[in-house]
Amino acid sequence: MPDLLLMALFTEPMDLPTRAISLLWVLPICLSVAVVYKAVKVEPFRPDVFARETGLLFVTIVGFLIVIALALLLVAYFVW
Amino acid sequence: MAQYVSQDKVGLMPPKPAKNDNALYFIGLLAWLIPGAGHWLLGQRQRAAVIFVTISTTFLLGLALGSIEMIDPQNAKAWFCAQILCGFWTVLVTLLQNHSITINDMFGRGVNIGQVYAGVAGLLNLLCILDALYRAQVSVTERGGP
């Protein structure tokens, strides 16, 4: 039974609604980018330094995405 | 003396042993096949574990979002080029697919964010492959072997 559930997880796509809440799916991918980039860059690799650097990069990426979203919102507001 | 000066001017390096080149190829191939394996071979175990877990989780999350049928070498070639960089994950998924039907026919919709997740996972693995090769090359030039 658990193997069937596992198969079902990967054989049918999730139903993602096209609502604003779906924008939160950007967060896991930002976290992945931050973790892998810092795993490659941090020298020497120490868990505390790695965690701090990763958190900082994640916040920076999300912050810039928010700034870009606000800028695009302003453009849309003034153009239309 | 004149010969050494001449070699320095044109930047000639002494030829490297062939076994070092083979080791670099092996590290590159393994780093592609299993995310983080290149760093693992170089003794960077913690780094390798973080890379493997993160890239695999991103790829599997993409599969959960879009199903295994979203890896589509026929109709989404550009995405597939990024996704194939994930190595054995992509090969495994391609083997498990039902090739007689496209995702559009099966679910009435095209690609979604799952494809982006799997593609980004592949591109992140490319970064790790290049980093592993760079570290191996530095190791070769500094110590004479990876």
Side-chain angles (χ1 to χ4, degrees), chain A residues 6 8 15 19 26 34-35 40 42 47 49 52 69-72 77 80:
Chain A
L6 194 65
D15 193 21
R19 292 201 300 263
V26 79
V35 168
V40 165
V42 168
V49 178
R52 193 182 64 234
L70 290 176
L72 290 174
Y77 179 78
W80 285 286

Side-chain angles (χ1 to χ4, degrees), chain B residues 58-134:
Chain B
T58 308
F59 188 84
L60 291 176
L61 188 55
L63 287 190
L65 284 168
S67 88
I68 59 172
E69 304 298 332
M70 68 160 187
I71 308 285
D72 189 358
Q74 301 296 325
N75 302 310
K77 291 185 177 67
W79 279 117
F80 184 74
C81 288
Q83 289 156 354
I84 195 65
L85 293 168
C86 255
F88 85 97
W89 284 120
T90 313
V91 175
L92 184 70
V93 166
T94 309
L95 291 175
L96 289 173
Q97 283 177 336
N98 176 7
H99 293 282
S100 62
I101 191 163
T102 66
I103 188 171
N104 219 349
D105 300 330
M106 193 180 287
F107 303 110
R109 69 185 201 199
V111 297
N112 59 14
I113 195 171
Q115 198 140 32
V116 178
Y117 269 73
V120 168
L123 293 173
L124 287 174
N125 198 35
L126 176 64
L127 178 72
C128 297
I129 294 167
L130 294 176
D131 183 65
L133 287 175
Y134 172 73

Side-chain angles (χ1 to χ4, degrees), chain A residues 36-71:
Chain A
V36 173
Y37 184 76
K38 283 300 172 184
V40 165
K41 282 290 173 187
V42 168
E43 202 69 50
F45 191 88
R46 289 204 344 251
D48 54 336
V49 178
F50 169 67
R52 193 182 64 234
E53 293 279 326
T54 301
L56 193 63
L57 181 59
F58 176 70
V59 170
T60 307
I61 293 172
V62 174
F64 270 94
L65 283 179
I66 292 171
V67 169
I68 290 168
L70 290 176

Side-chain angles (χ1 to χ4, degrees), chain B residues 8-19:
Chain B
D8 283 342
K9 278 185 178 173
V10 295
L12 290 177
M13 296 283 288
K16 296 187 188 78
K19 68 172 189 177

